[in-house]
Amino acid sequence: MPATDYKPRPYDGPSREEVLAMRKQYANPAIFTMFKDPIMIVEGHMQWLFDDTGKRYLDMLAGIVTVSCGHCHPKVTAAIRDQVERLQHATTIYLHPGMPAFARKLASKMPEGLDVTYFVNSGSEANDLAIQIARTYTGNSDVIALRNAYHGASPFANTLTSHSTWKYPVNPSGGIHHAINPDPYRSPFSGTPEEIASKTAADIRDLIRFSTPGKVAAFIAEPIQGVGGTTHGAKNFLREAYAVIREHGGLCIADEVQTGFGRTGDHYWGFQNFDVVPDIVVMAKGIGNGVPLAAVTTRAEIAQSLTNRIHFNTFGGNPVCMAAGSAVLDVIDEDGLQENSRVIGARLKAGLKRLMAGHSLIGDVRGMGLMLGMELVRDRSSKEPAKAETLEILERAREMGVLFGKGGIDGNVLRIKPPMCINAEDADFAVDVLDQAFASIR
Ligand code: PMP
C-alpha cells in the first residue's frame, strides 16, 4: 500500500455493531451496504478512507464518483468553514454574491452560450428540472433516453433511468422512451463501433416515428454511462443522435453528473469527447466534492421559459454549497486534476488491459481518464455476466485495502472512478491488487 503522512484521529464514537443495529431499527430498510461485512468509514483524506479501527483504504470509487478533488481537500474544507461561519442560509429572495459568482465561473468552463445556471441539491432533482425546462421550452412532451441509463431515483428521474433493478412499478411520468444503447460490447447491431453507433442513432428516428407524435421535447444521455457500467458508443453516436433529435424539435441534454469536471481527462466535459454541444448540461456529484449541490446550465433563451410561472428551490444556490463548488473549480485547475485524470487514467487503463491476458474473467476494459470500467464474464464469447465473481473480487480487493465499485444491470462491472488526485503509485497498486484478487478466485 502506498505510504501517506496523514494520521487519522482515534475514533471514539458508537461501535460498528451499534451503528448497524441503529440503522436496522431506525433507518429506511431500502438503504444498503456494500460487502458481506459492512465497513464503517469515519474519516477521509484525499484518496484515502479510514474505518473505525484506523484501517486505511485506497478509495477507487470516490464516494460513488462524487469526491472529485479528494476527501476533505483542505482548500474546499476551508471555503466551506469560512462560509458557514459568516452566513449559512438566507435563500435567493435576497442578494448574495456566492450564487451568481459561481454561476459565472461555471459559464467560463462551458461552450459559449451555455451560460445560465439554476442550482439545486441532487442529480435527480437537476434531471427533473432539465426535462421540465425542455418540455416548457419546446411545448413537446416526449423524451428519449437510452437503455442502461441512470438519471436518478426521484419519481420523475426514475422514469428516465433504464434499469429494471431500480424501478418501482409506479409509472409517475409518461412519454419517456428508451432507445437502444450504443455500447458496442453488447449491441444488438453488428459492425464496427462506428457502424453500430450510426445504426443506433438511426433507430432513434424510428422510435420517434412509431412512439411519439413526431415531435420530441428532449434527448437525455450520459456521455459515458456511469451506473450502467462505464458504457458509451463510438465517437459519432452522440453527434448523429443529437442531429435526429434536433430535426424533431427536441433539446439535447447531457447528464454530466459523473463525466464532468475533468474526469474523462482529455476534456473538462464528457460531451466534448464526442464533439457535440448540448442545449442543457446537468451536473451533480463532483461539482461539490461531497456537499449536496447540483446544477442545470442552459442558454438564456431556454432558461427564460421557466419564468412563466414561479419556480423556487429553498436550498438551491445556498452560500455554503456555492463556496464549496467555487473552491472545487479552483482546485481542479490549481491541482491540475484534469491532466492528472488523463495521465494516471491512461496508465491505469493500460494496467487493467494487461490483466486481460492472465485472467479470462475480464471481458472488457473501457472508459476514459479516471472513468473506467472492467466487465467480468464467465465466457468471453457468450459474455455471460460473472455476477458472483464480481462480488468476490470486490471482497478480496477490500481485504487488501482497495475499494472498487460495482455497476451494470447485472452487477458484473467493476467501477473504477477514484478521486482525481490519485497518483501513479496508487494506480499501480490498484492494478496489483486486482491481479491478486483474480488469481485468488481462479
Ligand atoms: N445522473 C447520473 C449520471 C448519476 O450517476 C446519478 C447518481 N448516481 C444521478 C443522475 C442522480 O444523482 P443523485 O443521486 O444526486 O440524485
Side-chain angles (χ1 to χ4, degrees), residues 18-30:
E18 283 172 290
V19 171
L20 255 177
M22 266 193 289
R23 263 176 70 134
K24 225 173 183 166
Q25 190 170 356
Y26 297 109
N28 186 315

Side-chain angles (χ1 to χ4, degrees), residues 18-257:
E18 283 172 290
V19 171
L20 255 177
M22 266 193 289
R23 263 176 70 134
K24 225 173 183 166
Q25 190 170 356
Y26 297 109
N28 186 315
I31 57 167
F32 53 89
T33 50
M34 288 256 294
F35 304 115
K36 281 182 210 139
D37 193 18
I39 308 182
M40 183 152 95
I41 297 295
V42 295
E43 199 159 327
H45 176 73
M46 302 306 280
Q47 65 271 51
W48 305 111
L49 286 173
F50 299 89
D51 72 11
D52 49 319
T53 68
K55 176 170 171 162
R56 179 159 59 98
Y57 298 89
L58 176 61
D59 181 6
M60 292 299 283
L61 184 59
I64 316 199
V65 209
T66 299
V67 177
S68 42
C69 305
H71 290 279
C72 304
H73 189 289
K75 181 156 179 174
V76 180
T77 303
I80 294 170
R81 189 183 297 123
D82 182 60
Q83 187 55 52
V84 168
E85 284 170 2
R86 282 166 201 269
L87 176 70
Q88 186 178 352
H89 178 75
T91 90
T92 46
I93 62 171
Y94 306 110
L95 293 179
H96 184 273
M99 192 271 282
F102 180 42
R104 182 177 61 184
K105 211 182 244 188
L106 268 181
S108 76
K109 299 290 183 193
M110 292 278 172
E112 211 182 316
L114 284 169
D115 50 11
V116 174
T117 297
Y118 207 112
F119 293 103
V120 292
N121 313 291
S122 71
S124 304
E125 219 187 332
N127 278 324
D128 285 354
L129 181 65
I131 299 297
Q132 180 140 317
I133 292 174
R135 284 178 162 165
T136 309
Y137 178 73
T138 61
N140 303 330
S141 157
D142 290 83
V143 173
I144 312 288
L146 288 179
R147 291 187 195 164
N148 197 42
Y150 185 90
H151 295 296
S154 62
F156 187 74
N158 196 239
T159 56
L160 300 170
T161 290
S162 172
H163 278 154
S164 51
T165 42
W166 293 93
K167 282 182 179 290
Y168 292 95
V170 289
N171 283 326
S173 167
I176 309 292
H177 312 275
H178 289 102
I180 290 171
N181 190 285
D183 168 27
Y185 190 66
R186 288 190 183 274
S187 177
F189 297 123
S190 56
T192 64
E194 290 71 26
E195 285 163 357
I196 288 172
S198 289
K199 290 176 190 173
T200 310
D203 192 66
I204 295 177
R205 190 184 302 281
D206 260 359
L207 180 62
I208 293 174
R209 199 157 75 93
F210 285 108
S211 307
T212 76
K215 289 271 174 207
V216 297
F219 170 67
I220 179 165
E222 304 152 83
I224 303 175
Q225 294 178 326
V227 174
T230 322
T231 39
H232 64 89
K235 195 162 175 156
N236 51 319
F237 172 68
L238 282 184
R239 203 172 55 238
E240 294 177 23
Y242 276 25
V244 172
I245 296 299
R246 285 174 173 150
E247 234 177 83
H248 294 87
L251 298 181
C252 297
I253 304 171
D255 181 337
E256 291 280 345
V257 168

Side-chain angles (χ1 to χ4, degrees), residues 362-394:
I362 307 173
D364 195 25
V365 171
R366 55 188 178 239
M368 299 174 194
L370 286 174
M371 172 116 188
L372 300 173
M374 178 185 261
E375 178 152 356
L376 307 195
V377 291
R378 295 217 165 116
D379 178 300
R380 282 187 183 161
S381 38
S382 75
K383 299 183 182 173
E384 184 193 344
K387 297 185 200 186
E389 295 84 344
T390 306
L391 282 176
E392 202 51 44
I393 294 290
L394 288 168

